[in-house]
Amino acid sequence: MPELPDVEAFRRYLVEHATGHRIERVTAPDADVIRNTTPQGLGRAMKHRRFAEPERHGKWLLARTEAAAPRGGPTVVLHFGMTGYLSWAGHDEPRHEHDRIVFVCDAGELRVNMMRKLGGVWLASHEDEVAEITGPLGLDAWELGREDLEDLLENRGGGIKAALMDQQFVAGVGNLVADETLWRARIHPARGVADLDRDDIGSLHAALWHVLEESVSQGHVPRQESWLTHARDVDEPRCPRCDTPLEKGSVASRTTYWCPSCQPELK
DNA sequence: CAGGATGTTGGGTC
DNA sequence: CGACCCAACATCCT
């Protein structure tokens, strides 16, 4: 599930449940997902810290802890891969089989659930380590202005969907958000960036803004019938706007849906 | 049983 | 260097 809107929902969830609570200990039912330390190392760093206000950049969640030293407490860096999510539960509530890491707090526990272990959990002792862990990221898609997008696309080659999905180009856009945005902007996903004019880029930005606005407020990309994403659940998908049967294919090496009528190959 | 899934990385190619 | 493609990772579902 996790694209920008999902991870933003996890961030809010963390604020709602864990921020301010003191960590008593960390348990790792499956230590595989701890990427740069051991369960003991993570436990030692986090023990007796309190969760502070978390941040999100793209699809990365930064679970800050309160400052004990001038430089602040350590940060747990989380990436959810394709199947991760957070849950907050009472100590007595049975754990799910895919709860891989558990931060046992004073009043409950924060569980990191990842069915497929494509994501991970990292420990960053200092701020400069956070950037090393995430690697280079573009501007967060939710913070991207129209002029930012114009400037970025000016120096970019290749296809537009590939650009949107490149986390170094813009951070946070995944397969669903990309398809939904391009459909809303009436731009074929395989079109070259060089072939887009100012109006296209304006539409693209407006579409991205709208898709993120709605998706962030719902905590995920809406699966309602007026959205392209709904097509992924349906047998013979049709365009919610014009009822034309949708096309399905591979663009930027990902399964892609588009409307051949609304999103022509060439402008 | 094969193939695919909302993600990233590393390798090879042009 | 920029961009593309694929395989791999781990697990479940159709």
Side-chain angles (χ1 to χ4, degrees), chain A residues 17-147:
Chain A
H17 294 289
T19 297
H21 286 288
R22 197 175 84 131
I23 299 153
E24 309 290 6
R25 60 198 167 84
V26 178
T27 62
D30 188 341
D32 285 0
V33 300
I34 302 178
R35 302 307 175 120
N36 69 342
T37 181
T38 59
Q40 293 72 30
L42 185 61
R44 217 176 301 126
M46 300 302 288
K47 192 171 182 176
H48 299 332
R49 302 274 184 178
R50 284 177 192 278
F51 279 114
E53 192 77 12
E55 294 167 47
R56 180 192 56 73
H57 191 166
K59 303 173 191 173
W60 292 87
L61 182 61
L62 311 179
R64 307 289 193 181
T65 59
E66 285 181 6
R71 299 194 60 179
T75 298
V76 180
V77 179
L78 296 143
H79 196 287
F80 296 91
M82 291 216 272
T83 60
Y85 63 90
L86 297 177
S87 71
W88 176 261
H91 302 296
D92 298 336
E93 289 180 59
R95 289 186 189 148
H96 188 279
E97 65 170 315
H98 298 129
D99 290 337
R100 311 283 186 186
I101 305 296
V102 179
F103 296 88
V104 180
C105 297
D106 43 17
E109 49 190 55
L110 185 72
R111 302 171 177 175
V112 181
N113 187 296
M114 269 193 279
M115 186 183 81
R116 297 160 67 188
K117 294 184 260 189
L118 297 180
V121 175
W122 288 256
L123 174 66
S125 303
H126 302 292
E127 188 51 37
D128 31 337
E129 289 179 21
V130 173
E132 283 173 30
I133 292 162
T134 66
L137 293 173
L139 278 176
D140 189 85
W142 190 218
E143 312 269 303
L144 190 74
R146 186 173 54 81
E147 291 184 7

Side-chain angles (χ1 to χ4, degrees), chain A residues 3-4 59 161 164-165 167 172-179:
Chain A
E3 296 185 41
L4 186 155
K59 303 173 191 173
K161 177 165 177 176
L164 291 175
M165 301 249 300
Q167 301 301 297
V173 177
N175 202 32
L176 295 187
V177 170
D179 278 8

Side-chain angles (χ1 to χ4, degrees), chain A residues 159-229:
Chain A
I160 184 59
K161 177 165 177 176
L164 291 175
M165 301 249 300
D166 179 351
Q167 301 301 297
Q168 296 190 46
F169 179 75
V170 172
V173 177
N175 202 32
L176 295 187
V177 170
D179 278 8
E180 198 67 55
T181 296
L182 289 163
W183 173 74
R184 186 165 283 274
R186 300 173 186 261
I187 295 171
H188 190 288
R191 275 178 64 190
V193 169
D195 151 67
L196 301 179
D197 63 26
R198 245 185 124 73
D199 285 347
D200 291 326
I201 297 173
S203 308
L204 187 61
H205 180 263
L208 179 62
W209 188 86
H210 180 87
V211 167
L212 290 178
E213 171 84 350
E214 288 290 315
S215 301
V216 164
S217 81
Q218 294 200 33
H220 54 86
V221 179
R223 285 200 121 87
Q224 52 210 43
E225 291 195 20
S226 56
W227 283 55
L228 183 75
T229 304

